[in-house]
Amino acid sequence: MCSPHSPGHPPPSVPDREEVRDWRGRRYSVGPSARTLTGVPRSVVLARALVAAAAVGVLQFGYGAAVPTLVAAHGWSPAAALLPFLVWTLVQGACAPALHRLGRRRELRAGALIQTGALLCAAALVVLGASSGLAAAVLGYGVLGGAGAGLVYHSCTDLVGGWFPDRRTVRSGAVGGAFALGSVPLLPVIAAGTSPASLPWACASLAALVLVLGVAGGAGQRSAPPRWWPPGASDPRAVALRRGADPPPATDFTHAQAWTAGGSLPLLHAVVALSGAGGLFVLAALPVLLVEGGHPPTAVAPAIAAFAAGSGLGRLAAGAAAERTGRRRILALLLGAAALALTGLAASASAGPPAAAVLLALAAGAGTGSCYPLTRAITEGHFGSRWTAGIHGLVYSSKAVGGLVGVGGAALLLATAPPAAWPTGLVGAGALCGVAALLAALLRRPLPVRTTPAPHGVWTPPRRRAPM
């Protein structure tokens, strides 16, 4: 029998790429298919990325639920127990621009980055369970775990965005949704079923699960070629002309041009920082506030799981809703709803029924979680698709500021304020989300940088360095 590559069976010809331009002059490389380039269809690439993102999301959404167990097992105060998570948020958010540069230079494949990140996350969980030293937990969980979760999350988001340019908003939102929803089945066990004596074993078991799923999710993953467009999908030229709730971008802005083209990019930074601060404060402080308010662990676990579920479902639904209603409107509406929900959660944390806390936590999670995919979609709609990943990496890095304000504010509140005043922190988190909603309503598309014809080409404003 002849092999597939023998003379009797010539290898199938790889279809040539077709270079097309839309009415704005943007170039697209149509084909070859994802199966031809990677050996698997796009659906498999997406499924593996979702598995990897779901595996590491527990490091963000599960830490607050584990704070009471960490306090009892290691003898830390609640404020000290939040320090590893504070460093984690700083590292995970701030590493986005550097990881984008690695991917853009093709120095490492996306699959290798995802698997390396899963290994770092597993090591962070082992350190958190085995070591009672706070400095070791800060270095192990905060630095290693933050870098690992950043590697997985950002690599998966950029990977899916490259392979799904025709549905980038919805598919990137699916990665964020998996990041939040993957922790939901584990949160009741973390909050109510982990004793201080079993903490090392529980962390080691969770580390093994994260490592296996992360390695499986990164297996064989490769980034899409630049400007790639799937053959057989909608014609990119027709997509550029399609009218929807949001007009197509005027042009492709570089990083420096995006900073100088109006105030859209600074506003996006502020929205991510403020909404991130509100959401991360809830993740860090809500379990302690509910326990202090007299709620039993069996009532605390559903509220924490509801917040994570709301965050994941909000990320999934926001992209589809934004295509019909408009990204800016949906973002402002959801952040405003989160502000109201957090204000109500402050009242129910100490005196309200458990069912109210669950419903309000669900609404707060949906509002704060939807910010990340929607700001990515707004970034592409304002500045074009060519540099979206890099520009949004800068925008997402504002989550580090949100972590400093949200988690740092929670640690400061627990350390200095009397327990009776702790619920006021939720009111402050709601106020931050309210300001983010107002800023989101002010977002406007920038005008094209290149506008005025010149005798020898197109006039462009002088180059200005983008602030870092």
Side-chain angles (χ1 to χ4, degrees):
M1 181 178 292
C2 298
S3 67
H5 299 290
S6 63
H9 294 274
S13 59
V14 177
D16 295 333
R17 296 182 302 169
E18 180 185 2
E19 298 285 342
V20 300
R21 290 176 178 265
D22 64 14
W23 67 289
R24 288 285 189 182
R26 288 183 287 261
R27 293 185 297 168
Y28 305 87
S29 179
V30 182
S33 67
R35 183 183 290 275
T36 302
L37 294 171
T38 65
V40 295
R42 290 195 298 168
S43 58
V44 174
V45 175
L46 175 63
R48 291 175 180 173
L50 296 182
V51 168
V56 302
V58 68
L59 274 78
Q60 172 172 318
F61 290 91
Y63 190 90
V67 166
T69 303
L70 293 173
V71 170
H74 298 325
W76 301 337
S77 67
L82 290 177
L83 290 180
F85 187 46
L86 171 61
V87 176
W88 187 95
T89 58
L90 294 175
V91 175
Q92 193 266 345
C95 69
L99 295 178
H100 169 70
R101 290 184 181 180
L102 283 176
R104 183 182 170 191
R105 294 176 182 177
R106 310 281 174 167
E107 295 179 3
L108 289 174
R109 285 191 176 184
L113 291 174
I114 294 171
Q115 292 175 333
T116 302
L119 178 61
L120 292 176
C121 290
L125 289 169
V126 171
V127 171
L128 184 66
S131 176
S132 60
L134 185 58
V138 168
L139 292 176
Y141 193 90
V143 178
L144 293 182
L151 279 171
V152 175
Y153 179 83
H154 301 307
S155 298
C156 289
T157 302
D158 291 343
L159 178 77
V160 171
W163 286 114
F164 290 88
D166 50 333
R167 299 296 305 278
R168 185 177 283 116
T169 300
V170 176
R171 296 296 182 257
S172 298
V175 175
F179 183 72
L181 292 175
S183 63
V184 172
L186 300 173
L187 286 176
V189 178
I190 296 174
T194 303
S195 64
S198 64
L199 181 63
W201 176 86
C203 287
S205 301
L206 184 58
L209 179 64
V210 168
L211 181 60
V212 170
L213 294 180
V215 170
Q221 298 283 48
R222 296 174 55 188
S223 300
R227 301 187 301 275
W228 181 82
W229 191 270
S234 302
D235 191 319
R237 293 166 292 190
V239 172
L241 290 170
R242 186 182 300 164
R243 299 186 64 182
D246 293 294
T251 187
D252 287 324
F253 289 77
T254 65
H255 295 67
Q257 290 168 345
W259 277 107
T260 58
S264 177
L265 190 55
L267 282 178
L268 285 170
H269 277 272
V271 169
V272 171
L274 292 171
S275 63
L280 291 170
F281 178 90
V282 176
L283 286 175
L286 182 60
V288 178
L289 297 185
L290 291 177
V291 171
E292 183 63 30
H295 294 274
T298 54
V300 174
I304 301 169
F307 184 83
S311 181
L313 295 175
R315 298 176 197 225
L316 289 172
E323 290 183 349
R324 298 188 299 269
T325 309
R327 306 178 187 111
R328 177 177 58 86
R329 295 186 185 92
I330 290 294
L331 179 59
L333 177 64
L334 289 175
L335 288 176
L340 296 176
L342 288 174
T343 303
L345 191 59
S348 64
S350 57
V358 170
L359 293 177
L360 291 170
L362 184 69
T368 55
S370 65
C371 173
Y372 300 107
L374 287 178
T375 51
R376 184 183 180 92
I378 292 173
T379 300
E380 181 179 357
H382 284 194
F383 307 115
S385 59
R386 184 176 181 184
W387 308 104
T388 295
I391 297 176
H392 183 260
L394 292 175
V395 173
Y396 188 92
S397 65
S398 299
K399 181 182 177 180
V401 179
L404 183 63
V405 175
V407 183
L412 184 63
L413 180 72
L414 298 180
T416 59
W422 288 356
T424 59
L426 292 171
V427 178
L432 294 178
C433 290
V435 175
L438 295 176
L439 296 180
L442 298 177
L443 287 168
R444 295 294 183 273
R445 278 202 325 145
L447 295 174
V449 175
R450 298 175 177 174
T451 54
T452 307
H456 302 289
V458 178
W459 176 83
T460 305
R463 290 180 61 87
R464 293 171 59 183
R465 296 189 57 156
M468 297 301 291

